[in-house]
């Protein structure tokens, strides 16, 4: 049981692990001037990228040249689809490989994004090795560019699982310490610069079911604030007393994008809600994004770890507190864990300029 060791969290063995690295290069007219056209630029960079990837046995690599943000999720099938602002990648790291160039005809990108998806098994234990290979490729690529360019590199890892997997009969679990990325990489001789940004957090997506709406809304009501205010209050109450005071609720129809405020500030577009937290700040941070006249399909909840949560043992204690809070929250709204999934995603991000 998790309570026997507060520094380990026991996650179902059917949890899914993902890792991807995203390198960003800002392009200006000077860079484009070295090519006959922007299309020629993208084709040339893609060929350089894929040749280097093949040499380093990086098997799932993509170049994005249309200023769309990649979103990566586990899936048993491999496919991508694009929206106005995003490219969504679904894949199974054990089986799926790929090399693709994403462009919009006639559009000149402000940034080039190089996306590296981890492949194989045991992604967490191999994460440092994968990171090192990507850095090696990027250094080689930088030496081949038409002119010097800074690269911003982000390493994203997450575990996703159903909080109520055991209730549904999946009894097997594995105890994780969930060590921070920096010490975990150092222990595997993968050096990261001292000047870096790191953020660790959890997201949960709650479908606003028919039963939940009937419970909290009057029939034919066009004022949805009772629903949102109740969810907001019950979420904060469930987290109270558990040292969880960096929280957000996003119920405006947008997908939350969590960032460290060292690099990014709150912002949004037609699809994404960027939320910025300062893990080093000791003051509570409670953020909410919803409108009383806009009934959406799902509400997203975010719980961000503080600097103190990153102990020598890892984030296991933090995740046990998170799970306790989420179970309390689910109970308070009458969530049926026997028949519905409440998917928890544990994210670890680290970024720096290469």
């Amino acid at each position: 049981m998790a309570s026997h060791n507060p520094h380990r969290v026991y996650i179902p063995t059917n949890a899914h692990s993902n890792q991807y690295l995203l390198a960003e290069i800002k392009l200006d007219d000077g860079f484009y001037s070295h090519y006959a056209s922007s299309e020629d630029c993208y084709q040339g960079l893609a060929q350089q990228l894929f040749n280097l990837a093949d040499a380093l046995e990086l098997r799932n690599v993509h170049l994005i040249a249309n200023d769309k943000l990649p979103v990566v999720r586990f899936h048993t099938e491999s496919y991508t689809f694009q929206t106005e602002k995003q490219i969504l990648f679904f894949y199974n790291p054990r089986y799926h490989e790929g090399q693709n160039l994403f462009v919009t005809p006639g559009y000149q990108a402000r940034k080039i994004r190089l996306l590296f998806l981890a492949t194989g098994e045991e992604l967490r234990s191999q994460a440092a090795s994968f990171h090192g290979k990507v850095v090696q490729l990027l250094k080689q690529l930088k030496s081949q560019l038409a002119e010097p360019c800074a690269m911003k590199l982000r390493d994203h890892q997450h575990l996703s699982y159903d909080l109520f997997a055991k209730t549904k009969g999946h009894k097997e679990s594995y105890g994780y310490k969930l060590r921070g990325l920096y010490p975990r990489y150092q222990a595997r001789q993968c050096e990261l610069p001292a000047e870096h940004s790191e953020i660790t957090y959890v997201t949960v997506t709650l479908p606003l079911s028919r039963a939940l709406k009937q419970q909290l809304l009057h029939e034919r009501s066009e004022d949805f604030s009772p629903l949102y205010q109740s969810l907001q209050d019950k979420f904060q109450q469930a987290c109270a007393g558990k040292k969880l005071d960096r929280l957000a609720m996003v119920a405006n129809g947008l997908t939350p994008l969590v960032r460290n405020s060292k690099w990014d500030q709150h912002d949004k577009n037609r699809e994404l809600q960027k939320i910025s937290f300062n893990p080093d700040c000791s003051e509570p941070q409670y953020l909410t994004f919803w409108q009383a006249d806009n009934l959406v399909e799902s509400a997203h909840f975010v719980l961000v770890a503080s600097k103190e949560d990153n102990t020598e043992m890892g984030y296991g204690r933090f995740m046990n507190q998170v799970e306790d809070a989420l179970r309390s929250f689910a109970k308070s709204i009458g969530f049926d864990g026997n028949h519905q999934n409440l998917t928890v995603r544990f994210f670890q991000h680290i970024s720096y300029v290469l």
Side-chain angles (χ1 to χ4, degrees), residues 84-86 252-255 268-273:
E84 181 184 354
K85 301 293 184 180
Q86 304 172 73
N252 56 5
L254 305 180
T255 300
K268 70 176 182 179
N269 57 37
R270 285 184 288 273
E271 297 179 14
L272 301 167
Q273 178 69 63

Side-chain angles (χ1 to χ4, degrees), residues 96-325:
H96 299 145
E97 303 178 0
Q99 287 183 347
N100 288 293
L101 167 63
F102 296 91
V103 299
T104 299
Y107 179 81
Q108 183 170 294
R110 297 184 302 274
K111 291 181 181 179
I112 293 291
R113 289 182 168 97
L114 312 178
L115 178 65
F116 304 87
L117 305 179
T119 58
E121 301 185 26
E122 304 297 331
L123 295 193
R124 288 186 67 82
S125 63
Q126 297 300 316
S129 174
F130 177 61
H131 186 106
K133 280 188 176 183
V134 171
V135 169
Q136 183 181 349
L137 180 150
L138 293 175
K139 288 180 178 179
Q140 292 175 356
L141 181 63
K142 284 182 71 173
S143 69
Q144 299 177 11
L145 294 179
E147 62 179 54
C149 291
M151 293 183 181
K152 185 173 182 180
L153 182 60
R154 303 178 191 267
D155 188 331
H156 302 254
Q157 298 178 37
H158 62 262
L159 282 168
S160 57
Y161 60 97
D162 176 20
L163 184 65
F164 294 101
K166 188 174 182 180
T167 304
K168 297 180 180 69
H170 189 92
K171 306 297 185 183
E172 296 181 359
S173 63
Y174 181 82
Y176 287 87
K177 291 182 181 179
L178 300 177
R179 295 185 68 197
L181 292 187
Y182 194 79
R184 181 147 56 95
Y185 280 18
Q186 280 190 317
R188 289 169 170 80
Q189 289 73 53
C190 178
E191 294 299 324
L192 300 176
E195 181 64 27
H196 65 271
S197 174
E198 191 169 357
I199 190 165
T200 300
Y201 63 94
V202 173
T203 67
V204 178
T205 299
L206 174 70
L208 301 185
S209 64
R210 175 182 56 85
L212 195 58
K213 294 172 186 174
Q214 289 178 344
Q215 173 188 340
L216 298 173
L217 289 176
H218 296 298
E219 188 175 359
R220 298 182 181 177
S221 174
E222 295 183 0
D223 177 11
F224 308 117
S225 54
L227 170 65
Y228 295 138
Q229 192 64 57
S230 178
L231 290 175
Q232 177 182 319
D233 292 344
K234 290 180 179 181
F235 176 58
Q236 291 187 357
Q237 289 166 10
C239 295
K242 297 181 175 65
K243 298 182 180 180
L244 302 171
D245 52 11
R246 291 162 181 81
L247 310 172
M249 171 180 163
V250 180
N252 56 5
L254 305 180
T255 300
L257 185 67
V258 181
R259 292 289 184 260
N260 191 313
S261 58
K262 179 179 179 179
W263 297 92
D264 297 286
Q265 300 303 313
H266 303 315
D267 195 8
K268 70 176 182 179
N269 57 37
R270 285 184 288 273
E271 297 179 14
L272 301 167
Q273 178 69 63
K274 185 186 291 183
I275 314 171
S276 296
F277 287 90
N278 182 357
D280 298 335
C281 177
S282 59
E283 297 297 322
Q285 300 167 63
Y286 300 119
L287 306 173
T288 56
F289 304 88
W290 52 265
Q291 292 91 39
D293 60 350
N294 180 21
L295 182 61
V296 297
E297 294 183 359
S298 300
H300 305 278
F301 299 89
V302 180
L303 307 95
V304 178
S306 70
K307 185 178 182 180
E308 289 71 29
D309 291 318
N310 185 12
T311 70
E312 292 183 2
M313 298 294 290
Y315 288 96
R317 181 185 293 275
F318 166 74
M319 277 304 293
N320 281 318
Q321 293 167 332
V322 167
E323 286 200 354
D324 287 346

Side-chain angles (χ1 to χ4, degrees), residues 16 18 73-79 89-93 96:
H16 300 307
N18 284 92
R73 292 289 184 267
F74 176 91
H75 203 277
T76 53
E77 298 180 43
S78 175
Y79 63 96
F89 293 82
F90 294 87
Y91 86 115
N92 185 333
H96 299 145

